[in-house]
Amino acid sequence: MEKHDINIALAGNPNVGKSAIFNSLTGMRQHTGNWPGKTVARAEGEFELLGRTIHVVDLPGTYSLAAQSPEEVIARDYILSDEPDVIVDVVDATNLERNLNLTIQILEMTDRAVVALNLVDEATKTGVEIDVDALSKALGVPVVPTVGVSGKGMEDLVRAVASVADRRAETDPVRLDYGRVIERAVVILERMLKNIGVERRTRWLAIKLLEDDPQIVEAFRQGDLGLCCPQLLRSGADPSPDSLCPILDTSYRLGEGMDPDAKVEIVRRRYILADKIVHSVQRRHPKAWSNITEKIDRVLTHKIWSWPIMLAMLAAVFWITIQGANYPSDLLEEATDWLVMVSRGWLQSIGAPWWVTGALVDGLTMGTGTVIAVMLPPMIIFFTLFSLMEDMGFIPRMAFNMDRVMRLVGSQGKQCLTCMMSFGCNVTGVLSTRIIDNEKDRLVAILTSPLVICNGRFGAGIVLAILLFKDNALQVMLAMVGLSLGSVFLATFVLNHTIFRKEPGGFVLELPPYREPQWLQVIWRSLRDQTGRVMLRAIEIAAPASLIIWAMGNIPHNAPFDETLVGRLVHLMAPLGAPWHLSGEMITALLFTLPAKEIVVPSLAMTYGLQHTLGNATQLLATLASSWTPLTAFTFLTFYMLYMPCLVTVWATWKETRSIRWTVMSILVPFTTAIVITTIVFWAGRAMGFS
Ligand SMILES: Nc1nc2c(ncn2[C@@H]2O[C@H](COP(=O)(O)OP(=O)(O)OP(=O)(O)O)[C@@H](O)[C@H]2O)c(=O)[nH]1
Ligand SMILES: [Mg+2]
């Protein structure tokens, strides 16, 4: 018999290592991190095994398959579909009892499943010992111990999957007995379902009816099984709406007399079974490590202490970034200068016309070189530190602490998490809003995410801060973060009290245990996936933008700066910035940074007409430092940090909302907020005596 390809799906609770296993199997790079809810849509990949292709789908994590949230619907629909040959249920070995609840629900839907008992390394460390064979016997499917992050156990997992797919391994999933009353109702409903042409998973469907599952009940009510599970029907069967109603009625009637309620009893029985299995297969030998998370959390999520600690952690991250970036940035700038000098010399020696030399050297090389020199070092350091904090589990704690403030402005706490993700990249922030179930809360999170300072701005902002404020750069950057968060609160408050008037939604954010980060992997990942991606984008935009800006500064050729296109634009823009004492040069530079904020430094150089007289970026900026007052510098920096999302974020917003209205709003909201905040900053500065 020729062996066909295999489709597998990774299902399981949130934050148990599904994506880590997916990455280990496929060599792909799904986002992993230590907080629940990272994977929001299904991701697909594949690998080869002895000439067969194994397709893998990484599903979002869910605690249940009740189809209450979008993730549950995605996961359940996929398991229900005929696509997967085998479901790999990824289970957290340190938290077996809660995880088995979902396992039991999966085994109710399919008999072709394999359990990946993941995080066994952590279980061992915390003194949890699981008898794998006994667990496999109790569940009736193969159980394979794995360590997602190191790839340990993957071969065994694949072998088990293949044998279940090929039906070489017999599976006999545990069948939960729901008690006499419910079982009798199930038999009645199953018989009725079979009569109308449902031929598979009749037991599951009957239980769902008794559980009052919203998706299923709605399909029956509307008389169209196609709305929930067309694949369960016998081929050719097309039950009429009239035949579905009596089944729903019967299920209500059967449920009515039950005490306790069928819904409650079904859930209770699942817990009892999970508890029973855990007691028979697991032993705990508590170790010092066991409650370390609790001990740390007593301080880190403390009502008062959490704030100074969080602030200190943030300050430390910035301090390390600023200090660490100094030297490599200098080196890179010297390298750019050297490259500029050598290429100019060479082009002149071969007699290239002035505009070729100008465009290639002063435009392209210097513009792009400056962007790289300015952004690369701080970005590498910041991304690495951020990913380490994410892997250890600090990010959700920060979100948890910010939750109290978030409630004051009428939002739900999950927005804190998406806000944290926006610090890395606004696009990631916008995508991660999918963890927010409530549509209105989600839109607020999307519209405010561009106000969070992302890494691109951060890299360029740090350089501006260092040059303009020298020894006070750290305080200035912390102030920028404060203003950024403040503007998120302000915009959220206003949105929640105007367009989205509503009650704040509930907040269920589980705090994951602290984990030792996978040092090398984190560093490698932040270099390759984050720094690499952002830098590529910066260069892609910086290169043509530098060329265009250079050309505008040199048309007409040899004209005095005021008469060039840039010069005229500066003149034209001057009145716009007047209320905040921002010069025409600054406003024009901001205009140039619309496609990507990263190019602010070369843009400023161009608008100040410094290109002809000065050679390198540091000198250019030093000139600015001496001509801007501290208040102007601070006001400029504030507006620059907040005023607009980058084009990619706008694109992501469009893709997420599919609405022109919300996409336009995602530009208007940050822009208006930026003007308000900048005005407050400017007047506060004046009031404090700055000029
Ligand atoms: N020590 C250890 N850590 C693991 C293991 N598997 C995953 N992790 C870590 O656990 C965290 C969660 O892993 P993910 O793969 O992102 O989890 P997920 O199940 O895809 O999470 P969601 O997509 O949010 O549902 C990450 O910090 C991983 O590095 C493991 O076997 N051992
Ligand atoms: Mg995941």
Side-chain angles (χ1 to χ4, degrees):
M1 187 181 85
E2 196 196 333
K3 293 199 172 148
H4 61 89
D5 293 352
I6 303 176
N7 294 326
I8 64 179
L10 298 166
N13 283 15
N15 208 31
V16 295
K18 297 177 294 300
S19 299
I21 291 185
F22 176 87
N23 292 347
S24 278
L25 289 175
T26 62
M28 286 173 68
R29 308 197 291 261
Q30 270 293 303
H31 180 175
T32 63
N34 191 9
W35 54 278
K38 295 159 305 279
T39 309
V40 282
R42 29 180 269 214
E44 300 184 22
E46 55 186 41
F47 63 97
E48 296 290 320
L49 175 75
L50 303 172
R52 316 163 74 174
T53 307
I54 319 281
H55 304 274
V56 192
V57 172
D58 181 17
L59 292 171
T62 60
Y63 292 110
S64 141
L65 290 173
Q68 307 267 10
S69 68
E71 298 85 51
E72 286 174 4
V73 173
I74 295 174
R76 185 164 101 176
D77 283 354
Y78 193 69
I79 297 174
L80 266 190
S81 77
D82 285 331
E83 267 172 66
D85 295 303
V86 181
I87 303 291
V88 174
D89 173 29
V90 183
V91 163
D92 175 356
T94 63
N95 218 329
L96 196 56
E97 185 162 345
R98 194 187 56 192
N99 279 245
L100 282 185
N101 210 290
L102 181 75
T103 308
I104 293 167
Q105 294 184 53
I106 291 177
L107 294 182
E108 259 165 14
M109 294 172 73
T110 177
D111 57 353
R112 293 215 264 163
V114 170
V115 169
L117 188 62
N118 197 40
L119 287 146
V120 281
D121 56 332
E122 224 169 71
T124 312
K125 225 188 315 184
T126 47
V128 174
E129 193 187 309
I130 294 168
D131 182 341
V132 176
D133 289 333
L135 180 61
S136 171
K137 240 184 232 121
L139 292 172
V141 292
V143 176
V144 183
T146 56
V147 179
V149 275
S150 70
K152 206 172 140 204
M154 289 308 130
E155 276 176 28
D156 293 339
L157 181 64
V158 172
R159 219 172 293 135
V161 165
S163 57
V164 171
D166 296 342
R167 298 184 187 265
R168 279 181 282 118
E170 283 299 318
T171 54
D172 182 18
V174 57
R175 192 180 136 134
L176 173 52
D177 179 356
Y178 286 105
R180 201 176 45 82
V181 182
I182 291 182
E183 289 296 338
R184 205 168 53 87
V186 168
V187 171
I188 297 172
L189 289 171
E190 270 194 276
R191 200 180 312 127
M192 294 178 83
L193 288 167
K194 279 182 187 145
N195 281 342
I196 61 161
V198 180
E199 72 169 347
R200 299 159 56 202
R201 298 191 175 125
T202 42
R203 179 175 166 82
W204 176 79
L205 204 52
I207 293 169
K208 287 287 135 187
L209 279 169
L210 289 169
E211 261 187 301
D212 206 12
D213 180 276
Q215 197 192 17
I216 307 276
V217 167
E218 190 54 30
F220 273 77
R221 190 170 292 145
Q222 300 214 6
D224 182 6
L225 273 194
L227 292 175
C228 69
C229 39
Q231 63 281 63
L232 303 188
L233 290 168
R234 200 169 37 233
S235 75
D238 183 17
S240 68
D242 292 345
S243 63
L244 294 182
C245 263
I247 302 184
L248 194 57
D249 289 344
T250 311
S251 123
Y252 282 149
R253 198 170 38 73
L254 288 168
E256 252 166 29
M258 286 186 198
D259 182 36
D261 189 50
K263 209 170 176 174
V264 177
E265 181 63 8
I266 288 171
V267 173
R268 196 178 74 90
R269 293 269 174 168
R270 284 193 195 125
Y271 274 106
I272 292 175
L273 177 64
D275 183 64
K276 196 174 123 208
I277 295 179
V278 170
H279 275 97
S280 66
V281 304
Q282 175 183 288
R283 254 174 243 339
R284 273 183 189 273
H285 317 279
K287 292 189 179 169
W289 187 256
S290 316
N291 51 5
I292 194 102
T293 290
E294 237 171 82
K295 282 186 190 149
I296 301 178
D297 269 349
R298 241 174 264 157
V299 184
L300 270 192
T301 56
H302 188 272
K303 259 192 185 144
I304 298 163
W305 300 125
S306 60
W307 289 97
I309 294 174
M310 245 168 52
L311 211 67
M313 252 163 54
L314 215 60
V317 168
F318 286 126
W319 186 80
I320 297 172
T321 310
I322 291 173
Q323 293 299 323
N326 257 339
Y327 183 63
S329 272
D330 285 349
L331 279 186
L332 283 172
E333 259 164 45
E334 276 169 31
T336 309
D337 291 344
W338 177 83
L339 197 67
V340 163
M341 200 181 68
V342 171
S343 46
R344 194 194 310 277
W346 179 72
L347 283 167
Q348 279 168 351
S349 75
I350 59 166
W354 70 268
W355 56 269
V356 172
T357 315
L360 289 184
V361 176
D362 297 322
L364 195 67
T365 314
M366 200 143 84
T368 319
T370 311
V371 168
I372 297 177
V374 158
M375 287 178 53
L376 191 59
M379 201 131 73
I380 291 179
I381 302 173
F382 186 83
F383 268 140
T384 308
L385 292 177
F386 190 84
S387 305
L388 282 175
M389 286 186 15
E390 189 186 345
D391 232 37
M392 288 196 250
F394 285 120
I395 301 294
R397 266 80 191 181
M398 293 204 172
F400 179 84
N401 292 331
M402 272 166 60
D403 176 51
R404 287 178 223 124
V405 188
M406 227 54 196
R407 276 176 195 279
L408 292 180
V409 292
S411 234
Q412 67 157 301
K414 275 188 187 169
Q415 191 183 337
C416 309
L417 249 179
T418 67
C419 196
M420 287 287 148
M421 295 325 283
S422 290
F423 267 113
C425 169
N426 287 178
V427 176
T428 319
V430 168
L431 291 182
S432 67
T433 58
R434 293 195 197 171
I435 60 169
I436 301 176
D437 311 332
N438 179 316
E439 196 54 26
K440 284 184 177 175
D441 284 339
R442 184 170 173 226
L443 276 171
V444 174
I446 291 182
L447 298 182
T448 52
S449 73
L451 286 166
V452 181
I453 301 175
C454 69
N455 256 279
R457 277 175 267 172
F458 184 76
I462 268 188
V463 181
L464 279 180
I466 292 174
L467 275 150
L468 299 170
F469 295 95
K470 314 237 156 42
D471 293 342
N472 294 326
L474 179 63
Q475 288 92 312
V476 169
M477 282 318 283
L478 283 175
M480 286 299 143
V481 175
L483 283 173
S484 160
L485 290 178
S487 60
V488 171
F489 294 142
L490 176 71
T492 304
F493 180 82
V494 173
L495 286 170
N496 276 336
H497 289 83
T498 51
I499 314 179
F500 302 107
R501 217 163 295 154
K502 59 163 180 50
E503 296 289 301
F507 178 46
V508 193
L509 172 68
E510 196 198 339
L511 294 180
Y514 291 103
R515 283 185 178 141
E516 194 190 323
Q518 311 289 314
W519 298 96
L520 284 179
Q521 277 189 28
V522 166
I523 294 172
W524 177 229
R525 199 174 64 201
S526 61
L527 279 183
R528 187 187 53 185
D529 297 354
Q530 296 169 304
T531 311
R533 201 189 61 209
V534 177
M535 275 324 285
L536 258 179
R537 191 174 71 86
I539 294 168
E540 262 170 26
I541 297 179
S546 311
L547 269 179
I548 295 172
I549 300 173
W550 177 85
M552 288 176 68
N554 284 276
I555 297 175
H557 181 41
N558 272 345
F561 178 72
D562 284 347
E563 287 168 26
T564 61
L565 286 182
V566 173
R568 284 165 198 269
L569 202 59
V570 165
H571 200 65
L572 200 71
M573 291 292 150
L576 285 184
W580 304 274
H581 292 191
L582 297 179
S583 64
E585 286 88 348
M586 298 175 193
I587 303 291
T588 313
L590 289 176
L591 204 67
F592 288 157
T593 58
L594 277 185
K597 300 216 175 175
E598 293 86 337
I599 60 170
V600 65
V601 174
S603 302
L604 278 170
M606 283 293 180
T607 57
Y608 273 89
L610 301 169
Q611 207 69 2
H612 306 288
T613 47
L614 291 168
N616 79 37
T618 322
Q619 275 175 298
L620 295 177
L621 287 162
T623 323
L624 294 187
S626 57
S627 64
W628 290 10
T629 67
L631 181 61
T632 312
F634 197 85
T635 314
F636 176 82
L637 209 54
T638 308
F639 192 70
Y640 162 76
M641 288 292 190
L642 304 178
Y643 82 105
M644 272 281 274
C646 71
L647 284 182
V648 191
T649 307
V650 176
W651 176 241
T653 304
W654 158 249
K655 288 229 298 222
E656 285 303 299
T657 60
R658 292 277 162 204
S659 143
I660 293 183
R661 179 169 166 222
W662 297 125
T663 310
V664 172
M665 283 288 284
S666 81
I667 298 172
L668 288 183
V669 169
F671 189 72
T672 324
T673 316
I675 290 183
V676 172
I677 298 274
T678 309
T679 309
I680 296 174
V681 163
F682 177 71
W683 284 105
R686 298 269 302 220
M688 286 194 280
F690 290 99
S691 59

